[in-house]
């Protein structure tokens, strides 16, 4: 009785062990390799699978998701003999579980060493300024080389990035001084360019001002010439009228001209800055007669304008004014 119970328990345990060794569940994002007597036969994809008992077993459990590997920091000598510290990261993904499992022993270590050697090669072929300014070019070259090298392993290199580039302290200080000098140079150039533009603007303004001033003088000269021309025409008409009056025997016309010149000369004499005294003439009767003659000429001109084109008979000459009695000369009046 006891023996039969023990046998049944042993049989149940053996069945559970056999079941768990034969039935395999592969999680998502993983793939298992199957070995038969130590030889690779097939790959189990995510899901449930059944193995041949006592013949097949699980070989390698491979991660099929994208993985991130760190590239250790290393010192690299550039083409211009500058020492820089470089590190980075690489993104890989296993595409073929069998090749990744059986063609390389330690896949992460192998890819990290491959990245370090190629990073040293690429950075060493460039100058320091190129290394600091062309990270994208370095990443592209590294990605091309690493992807080609890992393809036989069934691994795809999706991306490679340089995390840090650290030049020595003396080179960093020299770069800072260079950057400061370059910015000062740009500031000087910008300031000089601003002064140049300002000078050009001032010169253009002066040019436009001179052009406008010349145009103003031209217009003023044209207006002055037109005024002188009209004044000359008026003077010519007045002279013609006086000449006609003289031809008719009108003595007042001659008196008009004489009185006009007399008054103009006396006005110039009074306005002269060099004249300290003003001499007043004692014979004022002649001046009064002249003014009367001017009044008659003005009335004649008004009558002609009122009658239009109809001729007006000449008026008889006015009798001359009686001579004024002689007077003593008036004393000179000092001009202040």
């Amino acid at each position: 009785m006891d023996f039969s119970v023990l046998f049944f328990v042993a049989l149940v345990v053996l069945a559970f062990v056999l079941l768990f060794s034969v039935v395999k569940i592969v999680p998502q994002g993983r793939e298992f390799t199957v070995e038969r007597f130590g030889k690779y036969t097939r790959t189990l994809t995510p899901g449930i699978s059944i193995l041949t008992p006592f013949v097949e077993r699980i070989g390698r459990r491979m991660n099929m998701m994208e993985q991130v590997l760190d590239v250790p920091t290393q010192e690299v000598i550039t083409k211009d003999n500058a020492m820089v510290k470089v590190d980075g990261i690489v993104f890989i993904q296993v595409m073929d579980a069998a090749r990744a499992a059986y063609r390389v022993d330690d896949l992460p270590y192998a890819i990290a060493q491959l990245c370090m050697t190629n990073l040293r090669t690429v950075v060493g072929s460039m100058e320091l300024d190129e290394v600091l300014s062309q990270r994208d070019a370095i990443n592209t070259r590294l990605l091309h080389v690493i992807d080609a090298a890992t393809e036989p392993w069934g691994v795809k290199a999706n991306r490679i990035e340089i995390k840090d580039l650290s030049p020595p302290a003396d080179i960093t200080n020299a770069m800072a001084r260079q950057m400061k000098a370059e910015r000062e140079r740009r500031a000087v150039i910008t300031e000089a360019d601003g002064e140049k533009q300002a000078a050009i603007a001032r010169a253009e303004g002066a040019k436009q001002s001179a052009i406008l001033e010349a145009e103003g003088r031209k217009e003023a000269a044209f207006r002055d010439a037109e005024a002188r021309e009209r004044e000359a025409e008026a003077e010519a008409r007045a002279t013609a009228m006086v000449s006609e009056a003289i031809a008719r025997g009108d003595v007042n016309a001659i008196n008009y001209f004489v009185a006009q010149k007399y008054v103009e000369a006396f006005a110039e004499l009074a306005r002269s800055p060099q004249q300290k005294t003003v001499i007043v003439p004692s014979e004022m009767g002649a001046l009064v007669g002249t003014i009367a003659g001017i009044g008659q000429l003005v009335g004649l001109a008004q009558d002609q304008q009122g009658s239009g084109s109809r001729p007006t008979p000449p008026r008889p000459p006015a009798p001359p004014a009686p001579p004024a009695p002689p007077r003593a000369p008036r004393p000179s009046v000092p001009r202040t």
Side-chain angles (χ1 to χ4, degrees):
M1 183 65 182
D2 295 334
F3 177 75
S4 61
V5 173
L6 291 176
F7 179 76
F8 179 75
V9 172
L11 186 61
V12 171
V13 171
L14 181 61
F16 274 104
V17 171
L18 184 61
L19 180 63
F20 279 106
S21 64
V22 172
V23 178
K24 298 295 181 182
I25 298 176
V26 180
Q28 184 67 36
R30 305 279 179 171
E31 288 187 1
F32 296 167
T33 61
V34 178
E35 298 176 356
R36 178 177 295 175
F37 299 114
K39 182 181 179 181
Y40 168 77
T41 57
R42 59 195 173 96
T43 301
L44 301 181
T45 57
I48 185 170
S49 301
I50 299 176
L51 303 179
T52 304
F54 306 109
V55 176
E56 295 178 341
R57 69 182 182 87
I58 299 298
R60 302 289 180 89
R61 292 173 170 83
M62 303 302 298
N63 185 359
M64 304 302 292
M65 296 181 290
E66 188 172 4
Q67 305 174 52
V68 181
L69 302 179
D70 286 329
V71 179
T73 303
Q74 59 179 336
E75 293 184 352
V76 181
I77 300 177
T78 61
K79 187 177 180 180
D80 53 352
N81 298 323
M83 185 74 67
V84 294
K85 293 182 179 180
V86 186
D87 62 354
I89 54 176
V90 56
F91 297 83
I92 63 170
Q93 186 175 9
V94 177
M95 308 302 295
D96 191 339
R99 289 192 295 174
Y102 297 108
R103 289 197 177 185
V104 60
D105 185 16
D106 191 349
L107 181 63
Y109 178 76
I111 293 178
Q113 294 300 314
L114 184 63
C115 291
M116 290 180 64
T117 55
N118 284 277
L119 182 61
R120 188 181 300 112
T121 302
V122 172
V123 174
S125 63
M126 303 172 67
E127 295 184 354
L128 179 61
D129 292 338
E130 296 177 348
V131 172
L132 296 176
S133 61
Q134 299 182 7
R135 289 195 177 190
D136 292 339
I138 297 174
N139 295 336
T140 303
R141 292 177 59 181
L142 284 175
L143 180 61
H144 178 72
V145 174
I146 300 301
D147 190 31
T150 57
E151 194 274 334
W153 300 343
V155 178
K156 173 69 175 178
N158 294 327
R159 200 172 175 187
I160 297 178
E161 295 288 342
I162 295 178
K163 290 196 300 183
D164 190 18
L165 283 171
S166 301
D170 54 347
I171 296 180
T172 304
N173 295 333
M175 292 172 59
R177 292 194 300 271
Q178 180 183 3
M179 180 184 64
K180 181 179 179 181
E182 179 66 19
R183 292 186 181 276
E184 291 178 353
R185 184 183 68 85
R186 291 181 182 179
V188 171
I189 292 176
T190 304
E191 184 178 358
D193 187 63
E195 294 178 355
K196 175 183 175 182
Q197 296 297 329
I200 292 175
R202 288 193 295 269
E204 187 68 22
K207 175 184 175 182
Q208 294 296 330
S209 177
I211 292 174
L212 293 177
E213 185 177 357
E215 291 180 355
R217 290 197 302 269
K218 176 182 177 182
E219 184 68 19
F222 178 76
R223 296 294 178 87
D224 292 342
E226 186 177 2
R228 288 194 299 272
E229 180 181 359
R230 293 183 179 180
E231 184 178 0
E233 292 178 356
E235 186 70 21
R237 287 195 298 268
T239 304
M241 293 177 61
V242 172
S243 299
E244 292 177 0
I246 294 174
R248 292 194 301 267
D250 193 352
V251 185
N252 291 329
I254 300 176
N255 294 334
Y256 166 74
F257 272 104
V258 173
Q260 183 182 10
K261 298 299 181 181
Y262 184 82
V263 172
E264 290 178 358
F266 187 74
E268 291 294 333
L269 180 63
R271 286 195 299 265
S272 176
Q274 304 296 331
Q275 186 70 24
K276 301 300 182 181
T277 59
V278 177
I279 303 174
V280 179
S282 59
E283 297 294 334
M284 301 301 293
L287 182 60
V288 174
T290 302
I291 294 175
I294 293 173
Q296 292 181 3
L297 285 178
V298 171
L300 178 62
Q302 291 178 353
D303 293 340
Q304 289 182 358
Q305 291 180 357
S307 60
S309 59
R310 185 173 55 190
T312 304
R315 297 181 180 179
R327 300 179 182 176
R330 299 177 63 182
S332 298
V333 178
R335 184 183 178 191
T336 58

